[in-house]
């Protein structure tokens, strides 16, 4: 009897990185979330978090699925490892390519499928109604029984708070944080897990705002490159009403030319929508809490959290623009 992949289980963000009781922790990977099915007739389907069929984008995974037993469904993350670091931007060019272009990219930057859940398994059928701890044991048995190697990788999992705390130090290689999963929890669509993103305090220059100078909604941030030019590095999350009011008196329109005159800004990573912005005199330095997800030129892929104005710093004191970790 045929079967289909379920809707993915998702996670709600939390601000505390402590492993809760009766939970397991897993590292949070910087890649593409993917659900994979290998059917008895040899067909392979790879589906994105949003339900898009992305099988054709990853021919090396499709070919390697021949090593899996019949009727297996996996949940995991597709990642690229380059120069000792997870390289998310190498995945960006995989979608909507010709077969020849995809094959060339697969040869140049092959991916790994990091499996963290077993959703369906042969004669056992649908496993989503079983608790996490049982699905995890079955996943580990699958990897051991079939001696799965690259491009397959088994995601680490632990109930030891010390191990979870140690994984937070993996941000240097591009790990985004931790995902917490209740041991007795079934697999179901919706935000049943929790996640903690690793963040670090750093500084940036305010170069523009969305909204207006009188009522800023978000701040567009920059850093100086090697030539002294201000380059865009990311945007804050939506400001609280109190933070917006406090900043209004410190934001002024440019007194002369502005390095961002004439450029446009995307409303978000991966979208073609553009922001309506107002440029400001790039003199205000702010402290922000940013996660570790950078693109190849050092821009934050996710909104950063505004913390406070740094009155003790000038734009030239801000850390310079640099390529993302592990890139050149």
């Amino acid at each position: 009897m045929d079967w289909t992949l379920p809707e993915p289980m998702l996670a709600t963000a939390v601000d505390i990185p402590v492993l809760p009781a009766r939970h397991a922790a897993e590292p949070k990977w910087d890649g593409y979330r993917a659900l994979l099915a290998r059917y008895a007739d040899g067909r392979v389907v790879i589906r994105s978090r949003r339900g898009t069929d992305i099988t054709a984008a990853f021919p090396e995974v499709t070919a390697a699925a021949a090593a899996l037993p019949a009727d297996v469904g996996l949940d995991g993350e597709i990642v690229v490892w380059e120069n000792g670091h997870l390289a998310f931007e190498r995945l960006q060019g995989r979608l909507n390519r010709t077969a020849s272009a995809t094959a060339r990219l697969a040869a140049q930057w092959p991916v790994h499928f990091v499996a963290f859940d077993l959703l369906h398994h042969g004669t056992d059928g649908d496993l989503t109604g079983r608790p996490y701890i049982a699905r995890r044991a079955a996943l580990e048995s699958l990897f051991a029984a079939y001696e799965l190697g690259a491009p397959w990788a088994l995601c680490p999992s632990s109930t030891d708070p010390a191990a979870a705390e140690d994984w937070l130090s993996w941000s240097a290689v591009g790990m985004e944080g931790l995902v917490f999963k209740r041991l007795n929890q079934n697999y179901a669509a919706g935000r049943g897990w929790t996640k903690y993103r690793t963040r670090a305090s750093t500084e940036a220059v305010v170069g523009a705002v969305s909204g207006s100078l009188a009522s800023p909604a978000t701040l567009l941030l920059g850093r100086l490159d090697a030539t002294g030019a201000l380059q865009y590095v990311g945007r804050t999350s939506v400001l609280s009403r109190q933070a917006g009011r406090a900043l209004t008196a410190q934001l002024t329109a440019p007194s002369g030319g502005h390095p961002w005159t004439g450029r446009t800004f995307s409303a978000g990573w991966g979208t073609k929508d553009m922001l309506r912005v107002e440029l400001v005199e790039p003199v205000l330095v702010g402290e922000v809490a940013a996660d570790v997800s950078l693109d190849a030129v050092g821009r934050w892929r996710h909104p950063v959290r505004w913390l406070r104005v740094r009155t003790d710093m000038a734009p030239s004191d801000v850390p310079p623009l640099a390529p993302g970790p592990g890139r050149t």
Side-chain angles (χ1 to χ4, degrees), residues 262-282:
R263 72 157 293 172
T264 58
F265 298 90
S266 171
W269 183 265
T271 178
K272 295 181 180 180
D273 297 334
M274 294 295 139
L275 282 175
R276 296 181 62 181
V277 305
E278 288 194 32
L279 302 179
V280 302
E281 189 71 19

Side-chain angles (χ1 to χ4, degrees), residues 68-89:
L68 298 174
D71 286 329
V72 160
L74 297 171
D75 191 358
E77 197 89 5
I78 292 177
V79 302
V80 171
W81 189 263
E82 181 187 24
N83 298 328
H85 195 277
L86 292 173
F88 180 84
E89 71 277 4

Side-chain angles (χ1 to χ4, degrees), residues 142-194:
L142 175 72
F143 267 74
Y146 288 85
E147 299 180 343
L148 296 179
W152 309 107
L154 178 63
C155 180
S157 172
S158 180
T159 57
D160 181 0
E165 183 178 1
D166 182 60
W167 289 337
L168 290 173
S169 67
W170 291 12
S171 61
V173 298
M175 293 296 183
E176 294 186 318
L178 298 171
V179 179
F180 302 124
K181 302 180 177 181
R182 202 167 70 242
L183 296 178
N184 64 354
Q185 190 172 28
N186 297 346
Y187 188 101
R191 297 186 180 276
W193 297 329
T194 56

Side-chain angles (χ1 to χ4, degrees), residues 202-287:
T202 188
E203 294 80 28
V205 181
V206 180
V209 302
S210 67
S212 66
L213 294 183
S215 182
T218 66
L219 307 177
L220 282 70
L221 307 172
R223 283 180 168 174
L224 302 180
D225 63 17
T227 69
L230 186 69
Q231 301 292 341
Y232 176 66
V233 294
R235 186 161 62 106
T236 68
S237 54
V238 177
L239 300 171
S240 68
R241 188 172 301 177
Q242 180 181 4
R245 284 198 299 265
L247 285 166
T248 297
Q250 303 180 68
L251 300 171
T252 58
S255 57
H258 193 288
W260 295 350
T261 298
R263 72 157 293 172
T264 58
F265 298 90
S266 171
W269 183 265
T271 178
K272 295 181 180 180
D273 297 334
M274 294 295 139
L275 282 175
R276 296 181 62 181
V277 305
E278 288 194 32
L279 302 179
V280 302
E281 189 71 19
V283 295
L284 188 67
V285 174
E287 183 178 355

